[in-house]
Amino acid sequence: MLTPFEYAVLLTIIANCIVLALEEHLPNDDKTPLAQKLDQTEQYFLAIFCVESLVKILALGFVLHKGSYLRNVWNIMDFIVVVTG
């Protein structure tokens, strides 16, 4: 069973996927008004994902003990995505 925290993270991921799907790539880097508004949401999604990673790191520990954040393959992928974001 998922916790409310996990539901919130999953809803954020789904919302981010929808925003990415609505992206339009026009010639000469032209952007529609919708695309310009959607570009502004990127910083909010990144902030939410950074907070999610920090909360998990604080709760689980970073890497030193069994069950820590970077001992889970999904969290490693999540960490790489957040750091490169």
Side-chain angles (χ1 to χ4, degrees):
M1 178 121 184
L2 296 176
T3 65
F5 178 77
E6 292 170 322
Y7 277 118
V9 171
L10 285 174
L11 286 174
T12 304
I13 291 169
I14 291 167
N16 193 19
C17 289
I18 292 169
V19 167
L20 290 173
L22 291 172
E23 224 175 71
E24 297 177 63
H25 297 281
L26 300 174
N28 302 322
D29 288 331
D30 290 337
K31 294 192 182 230
T32 63
L34 175 63
Q36 291 171 353
K37 289 179 184 175
L38 292 176
D39 278 349
Q40 296 171 355
T41 65
E42 183 178 339
Q43 62 189 348
Y44 297 109
F45 284 119
L46 182 59
I48 291 168
F49 293 133
C50 285
V51 168
E52 178 235 351
S53 293
L54 288 173
V55 167
K56 282 185 171 181
I57 289 168
L58 290 173
L60 302 172
F62 189 61
V63 74
L64 295 179
H65 65 279
K66 188 175 184 176
S68 62
Y69 182 73
L70 285 182
R71 301 254 176 157
N72 181 312
V73 176
W74 287 110
N75 288 340
I76 292 171
M77 183 194 68
D78 183 47
F79 185 73
I80 291 169
V81 168
V82 168
V83 169
T84 59

